[in-house]
Amino acid sequence: GKRYSSLPEKLITVPPIDTMGFTILKQDRFENGTLVNDVALDVNVFFKDPSGEKNYYKWKWLGEATFKLNTENPPPPPASIPPCYYRLTPTLSDPYKQEINVVSDQFFNGNNHKHPAIFFDTKTFDYRFRGGISLLIAQYSLTKNAFEYWDKIRRLVVSQGGVFDPAPFQVLGNMYNSIDKNEVVLGFFGASSVVYRRYQFEASDILNAPC
């Protein structure tokens, strides 16, 4: 018998993705007292931000990755090389933190911009990565209110609980109980324009490839 509404959201256009590329990142870590030289992979989007207006963005990859099968050179047994591929099946816990991959154009308004749409760390690689990978990338527009909502959640998620981290706080969106204005309602209703671009690469395209 309750009724919920939201504040209005404006549907804002989103610029196209011009090109895509990747960046290999070193991810050194200690494991049981031993230095391990891991790598990570950013898949980057390049686009032209509209000038003379404030813009806000969010990125996701959609569905599951398509892996190229290579039956002529199957991967060696797992014991012979380190695990090195990507498992691209999101779970409800969103381990790839797609919902919080948001940015404001505050520092690149009207300019060309490069942004990591996806971050793959070593823990999510597997051997299929060796055969090549194909990803469908989505670039979304956000309103200022939507950006601020997801950015607050981002700050909560990345907080490590250190002495200098902000204290936990409740994130309220734009939803409310139409009858009982005192009820605390969580969630956000948004509307986004979206553009898609597929990105495909071979493991051999990557210098110092993790595999």
Side-chain angles (χ1 to χ4, degrees):
K2 296 184 178 181
R3 175 172 295 188
Y4 295 93
S5 302
S6 78
L7 299 175
E9 278 283 282
K10 185 177 180 180
L11 185 62
I12 300 171
T13 58
V14 64
I17 298 171
D18 296 325
T19 58
M20 301 188 67
F22 58 81
T23 305
I24 294 290
L25 307 170
K26 290 186 64 178
Q27 239 188 359
D28 295 341
R29 60 183 173 85
F30 281 94
E31 186 173 307
N32 299 323
T34 302
L35 180 64
V36 180
N37 301 118
D38 280 344
V39 295
L41 177 71
D42 275 349
V43 174
N44 304 304
V45 294
F46 297 82
F47 64 96
K48 179 70 163 61
D49 178 71
S51 61
E53 59 187 64
K54 285 289 186 181
N55 295 98
Y56 307 89
Y57 303 94
K58 179 164 75 171
W59 291 268
K60 289 185 182 183
W61 59 266
L62 302 177
E64 293 194 12
T66 302
F67 293 90
K68 175 184 174 183
L69 297 178
N70 187 338
T71 56
E72 297 178 1
N73 298 295
S80 62
I81 63 172
C84 200
Y85 63 78
Y86 200 69
R87 292 187 292 275
L88 290 172
T89 307
T91 66
L92 293 178
S93 62
D94 190 23
Y96 315 115
K97 298 180 175 55
Q98 298 195 91
E99 295 294 351
I100 58 173
N101 187 3
V102 297
V103 74
S104 160
D105 71 354
Q106 177 181 359
F107 298 110
F108 58 87
N109 186 285
N111 295 317
N112 293 311
H113 182 64
K114 165 190 170 183
H115 189 86
I118 313 175
F119 173 77
F120 299 157
D121 65 24
T122 306
K123 296 177 182 178
T124 46
F125 288 154
D126 71 23
Y127 289 106
R128 291 172 295 180
F129 187 86
R130 298 175 73 249
I133 193 170
S134 178
L135 301 162
L136 183 62
I137 310 298
Q139 178 168 283
Y140 297 86
S141 65
L142 296 177
T143 62
K144 179 181 179 181
N145 288 338
F147 167 77
E148 290 176 347
Y149 173 81
W150 290 113
D151 192 54
K152 287 177 182 177
I153 293 179
R154 179 191 62 78
R155 283 186 277 146
L156 284 175
V157 169
V158 302
S159 173
Q160 301 299 312
V163 65
F164 297 110
D165 286 336
F169 53 89
Q170 190 174 56
V171 180
L172 296 178
N174 61 358
M175 306 291 295
Y176 60 93
N177 185 322
S178 303
I179 307 299
D180 181 6
K181 298 300 176 63
N182 294 319
E183 180 183 355
V184 176
V185 181
L186 304 178
F188 193 91
F189 172 80
S192 294
S193 297
V194 58
V195 293
Y196 304 96
R197 182 149 183 162
R198 183 164 290 280
Y199 185 59
Q200 182 170 335
F201 61 90
E202 308 289 331
S204 58
D205 295 336
I206 304 174
L207 297 177
N208 303 315
C211 302

